[in-house]
Amino acid sequence: MAIKEFFKKAFSDMKESAKAQHEVDKANFEAAKAESKANFQEAKANSNPEVYKKRVSDEREAQIAEANERKAAAEERIEKAKNQ
């Protein structure tokens, strides 16, 4: 009887493991599907020339702002070095 119970428990464990793995696979598939749809929608939105121009313009403005901050920090360091 012990062997019969052993195999019964082993097959039951395999069944539960397969169900759990199926849930993981299903969740991963749904995530990949959603990411693919998001990529498509972004590409579709970026194909519009006006949207593209605005995005590029915003990126340039952000880069200019960052460069100005770096310049101000460098000028502050220069003043500190001169006063020492």
Side-chain angles (χ1 to χ4, degrees):
M1 276 303 210
I3 292 177
K4 184 177 179 181
E5 292 300 318
F6 171 79
F7 281 110
K8 195 175 199 181
K9 184 177 183 317
F11 283 114
S12 175
D13 289 345
M14 284 190 284
K15 183 178 177 182
E16 289 175 19
S17 179
K19 281 183 183 179
Q21 186 60 47
H22 177 70
E23 290 299 318
V24 170
D25 292 342
K26 198 162 112 177
N28 283 333
F29 177 74
E30 291 297 323
K33 186 176 166 183
E35 289 170 345
S36 177
K37 187 172 183 176
N39 289 339
F40 174 76
Q41 292 297 331
E42 287 175 347
K44 186 177 172 183
N46 287 334
S47 68
N48 183 340
E50 296 303 317
V51 172
Y52 175 76
K53 286 178 187 176
K54 180 167 178 12
R55 184 174 53 86
V56 170
S57 175
D58 292 345
E59 288 175 1
R60 284 187 194 133
E61 289 175 10
Q63 289 175 348
I64 290 171
E66 181 185 351
N68 287 337
E69 289 174 9
R70 289 181 20 229
K71 180 181 173 186
E75 288 174 350
E76 185 178 313
R77 288 175 41 210
I78 290 170
E79 288 301 316
K80 284 182 181 178
K82 284 182 179 179
N83 292 335
Q84 285 184 355

